[in-house]
Amino acid sequence: MIREKCVYSGTKIQDIYCIPQVPIFCGCVENIEQYKYEDLIFSISDNGLIQIKNLIQLEDLYKNNHNDSVGSVWEKHHVSFSEFISPIIQNKKVFEYGGASGKLYNLCQTENKDWTIIDFNPMLESKNKLNVLAGDASNFFDESYEVYVSSHFLEHLYEPFLFLEKLRNIKKNGIHAFSIPNQKLWFNNIYTNSVFFEHTVLLEDEFIIQ
């Protein structure tokens, strides 16, 4: 798939750099021959938004599970984010985009009426107040929920601004609490995962917060 226009403004994008034959899978495989490779083409729009031009089919990109976050930094993030949303989700129906590991749910499960998770590769099953769905989260909208949450999800979307617009339109009085990585900091520090096949748009505050 080829991105023809800026995901934010719809204006033309211009190619600025290409890294040839980059592995599309962000994880480990048993045999190196299992990796697939594509050129990683960086483009920029008239408004300065950096984005990847060539997009991978989601079925290939997320074919295998690699979304279980581990380590002290992730643990601190989940605890901090759960503390942030705790007063928001009190006795509310919660819908979580992403969240395949269920870690955020496990930290908050006593504070809400019920909780639904949708993810390409969920790592847990439905139980008690938890409902788990498998599928493309970017196209799933349900107005029956009161609070929507997502952690490190928006940066994975090919159309993050369209997703936010759709979510706002289906639930005008709802709440969407989310966290995203500081991609601009990563980019300035030359982190290879700041913008790549899974993070195809360099999300910055001036574009997200409108």
Side-chain angles (χ1 to χ4, degrees):
M1 298 185 292
I2 298 297
R3 176 175 280 149
E4 301 287 354
K5 297 180 180 180
C6 173
V7 296
Y8 180 77
S9 63
T11 58
K12 293 181 180 180
I13 56 176
Q14 179 180 354
D15 295 351
I16 53 176
Y17 197 75
C18 175
I19 302 177
Q21 295 301 286
V22 175
I24 68 171
F25 179 59
C26 181
C28 298
V29 293
E30 294 182 358
N31 190 323
I32 194 172
E33 294 181 355
Q34 293 178 268
Y35 278 114
K36 294 182 179 180
Y37 301 83
E38 294 287 346
D39 291 346
L40 186 61
I41 304 172
F42 294 83
S43 299
I44 191 168
S45 62
D46 294 341
N47 55 20
L49 185 62
I50 295 174
Q51 49 210 288
I52 299 301
K53 182 176 182 179
N54 55 323
L55 308 177
I56 308 301
Q57 293 287 346
L58 296 179
E59 292 77 9
D60 293 329
L61 191 62
Y62 299 109
K63 183 177 182 180
N64 298 309
N65 192 312
H66 61 284
N67 48 17
D68 188 19
S69 51
V70 296
S72 61
V73 173
W74 273 111
E75 185 65 27
K76 290 178 182 178
H77 166 269
H78 289 317
V79 171
S80 178
F81 191 47
S82 67
E83 291 174 349
F84 173 76
I85 67 174
S86 287
I88 301 173
I89 66 173
Q90 290 285 346
N91 298 314
K92 297 289 196 305
K93 289 183 63 178
V94 178
F95 192 96
E96 182 180 7
Y97 290 97
S101 66
K103 291 187 176 181
L104 192 59
Y105 162 76
N106 288 328
L107 289 168
C108 300
Q109 60 177 308
T110 61
E111 300 169 1
N112 63 288
K113 289 190 293 188
D114 59 60
W115 191 296
T116 296
I117 292 174
I118 184 170
D119 196 285
F120 245 109
N121 293 296
M123 300 171 61
L124 64 170
E125 298 179 351
S126 299
K127 61 178 180 179
N128 301 326
K129 296 188 297 181
L130 176 65
N131 181 35
V132 180
L133 306 174
D136 181 4
S138 65
N139 290 314
F140 193 96
F141 300 94
D142 188 332
E143 63 180 2
S144 67
Y145 291 83
E146 299 162 281
V147 179
Y148 302 83
V149 298
S150 62
S151 170
H152 289 245
F153 167 74
L154 289 176
E155 70 273 15
H156 288 267
L157 299 182
Y158 287 165
E159 297 283 353
F161 307 107
L162 180 60
F163 170 84
L164 290 173
E165 181 181 356
K166 287 181 177 180
L167 185 59
R168 180 181 60 197
N169 288 337
I170 68 111
K171 197 69 175 182
K172 295 185 182 298
N173 296 321
I175 296 174
H176 178 206
F178 63 89
S179 70
I180 58 175
N182 190 336
Q183 286 178 268
K184 188 173 183 179
L185 176 64
W186 290 3
F187 193 80
N188 290 336
N189 288 333
I190 320 178
Y191 291 1
T192 56
N193 64 334
S194 57
V195 184
F196 71 128
F197 287 127
E198 288 198 15
H199 303 163
T200 66
V201 181
L202 183 60
L203 297 178
E204 300 183 51
D205 290 349
E206 55 263 41
F207 294 107
I208 287 289
I209 303 174
Q210 295 279 337

